[in-house]
Amino acid sequence: MATNSIKIFAGNSHVELAKLVARRLGTELSKAVVLKYSNQETSVTIGESVRDEDVYIIQSGCGEINDNLMELLIMINACKTASARRITAIIPCFPYARQDKKDKSRAPITAKLIANMLTVAGANHVITMDLHASQIQGFFNIPVDNLYAEPNTLRYITENIPDYQNGVIVSPDAGGAKRATSIADRLDLDFALIHKERKKANEVSRMVLVGDVTGKIAILVDDMADTCGTLGLAARTLADNGAVKVYAIVTHGILCGKAVQVINDSVLTKVVVTNTVPHEDKKKVCPKLDTIDISGTLAEAIRRTHNGESVSYLFSNAV
């Protein structure tokens, strides 16, 4: 059992999630003032002693991504220079996760740069959720716990989708096939895949369904919904192929640009996202949006890390 106490700090990216996590742990958020000067510099003031304490800083990669990342780096460094025993960065939605490989000439591998910056700032440990590519863990020289939203997704499907036994799990692209097959196996359901066919660059792609959804409830599963173009097109393809209803369950609901309009105009019955990214304002204008709360998983990860217990229980069990 640890002899020091947990200190939870929050940046400005997702204060609501940080409060939920603190409440789950029966504690309050520690005092910190994070603001911008008039010249747009970020100023951080840690409002209480962190000497020899176990510090957790919750900051998601969303909204003003670069400002939020800078806030996180400065907060980590402020705690490091204030003699914290261990600093854990909790990044529910990892920024720049899609820039993880050199897919064309002169392309930067920005996810590796972010890993270097976090390490240099002074982070001893990183906890994140549903990384876009799990090999990003290998970019770090410090321990990384990549938690999964899958257990909470399974619970949502079984409790909130009526007649889910008549469902089929669908991946909207080949990249998410592994995630979708894992859920299909756990629920003992069929699996289908949507293949995006591009005749030539810039031409709207044709979507080809591999698998049968006739007369079934289609459940699209993905890790990230940005503008929701793929989801809207995939839902239309599934409906055209005879699906009775189409649900979409996504871990990181970034929902920028015309996303809300696309969802409202689509044939999707519901779009379910976790609260790794704040979206309360979008729920007011999009009745199809629903939320899975993952604060319990993060809180339990903090508790287990602090007490030196195994975190692997969370990979297959919802909290």
Side-chain angles (χ1 to χ4, degrees):
M1 207 59 180
T3 52
N4 55 351
S5 63
I6 294 174
K7 297 270 185 185
I8 301 173
F9 291 96
N12 290 323
S13 71
H14 200 346
V15 180
E16 284 310 307
L17 178 64
K19 284 178 180 169
L20 285 170
V21 170
R23 195 177 305 147
R24 289 273 192 146
L25 290 165
T27 181
E28 295 278 315
L29 286 178
S30 298
K31 294 184 188 72
V33 179
V34 184
L35 45 85
K36 267 186 181 179
Y37 290 141
S38 54
N39 67 349
Q40 302 301 303
E41 279 184 10
T42 299
S43 157
V44 170
T45 310
I46 304 295
E48 54 191 81
S49 172
V50 294
R51 185 176 293 276
D52 215 33
E53 301 287 25
D54 200 5
V55 172
Y56 295 85
I57 302 170
I58 301 175
Q59 182 83 316
S60 204
C62 55
E64 297 282 339
I65 287 198
N66 297 328
D67 283 346
N68 291 337
L69 176 62
M70 203 64 207
E71 275 181 19
L72 176 61
L73 295 171
I74 296 172
M75 288 177 87
I76 291 170
N77 198 250
C79 291
K80 181 189 178 184
T81 53
S83 305
R85 184 187 295 187
R86 177 175 60 185
I87 302 164
T88 302
I90 298 180
I91 313 170
C93 180
F94 194 83
Y96 293 96
R98 284 178 282 189
Q99 299 184 30
D100 62 330
K101 57 186 175 288
K102 199 167 174 182
D103 53 359
K104 54 184 182 287
S105 298
R106 298 171 295 284
I109 305 176
T110 317
K112 168 66 175 166
L113 174 65
I114 302 297
N116 289 344
M117 287 161 74
L118 287 165
T119 311
V120 169
N124 306 112
H125 181 204
V126 171
I127 295 175
T128 184
M129 183 165 262
D130 271 2
L131 278 171
H132 188 64
S134 49
Q135 61 266 30
I136 290 174
Q137 292 169 90
F139 291 170
F140 289 86
N141 293 324
I142 54 175
V144 178
D145 286 319
N146 180 28
L147 304 173
Y148 301 115
E150 186 183 292
N152 290 307
T153 301
L154 294 169
R155 184 163 68 182
Y156 183 91
I157 292 171
T158 53
E159 290 177 4
N160 296 286
I161 297 183
D163 197 23
Y164 78 90
Q165 293 90 342
N166 182 37
V168 56
I169 306 294
V170 186
S171 173
D173 54 30
K178 193 176 174 188
R179 181 180 296 102
T181 48
S182 171
I183 290 174
D185 290 346
R186 294 277 296 274
L187 292 170
D188 199 22
L189 296 177
D190 289 338
F191 163 74
L193 176 78
I194 288 176
H195 169 60
K196 280 189 270 197
E197 236 179 39
R198 283 196 174 84
K199 288 276 188 289
K200 60 175 186 278
N202 301 333
E203 190 176 290
V204 176
S205 56
R206 188 167 74 94
M207 286 195 159
V208 184
L209 178 68
V210 183
D212 181 32
V213 295
T214 312
K216 294 193 172 180
I217 295 168
I219 304 168
L220 281 161
V221 175
D222 208 355
D223 71 318
M224 202 177 274
D226 201 337
T227 56
C228 291
T230 302
L231 278 188
L233 216 56
R236 167 55 47 212
T237 305
L238 291 166
D240 291 346
N241 280 275
V244 185
K245 279 184 180 174
V246 184
Y247 289 86
I249 302 182
V250 180
T251 305
H252 307 298
I254 298 165
L255 308 179
C256 56
K258 291 183 180 173
V260 170
Q261 189 188 329
V262 170
I263 293 169
N264 284 333
D265 295 346
S266 72
V267 295
L268 287 158
T269 306
K270 232 180 202 149
V271 175
V272 186
V273 295
T274 70
N275 56 347
T276 55
V277 175
H279 55 266
E280 289 309 310
D281 54 332
K282 301 195 177 75
K283 277 181 94 168
K284 290 172 186 155
V285 290
C286 185
K288 292 183 181 181
L289 266 186
D290 207 355
T291 310
I292 297 173
D293 181 18
I294 47 87
S295 62
T297 304
L298 294 177
E300 185 61 11
I302 290 174
R303 191 194 66 75
R304 285 170 176 264
T305 303
H306 179 68
N307 293 333
E309 298 171 25
S310 168
V311 176
S312 55
Y313 171 84
L314 299 174
F315 297 161
S316 51
N317 295 276
V319 179

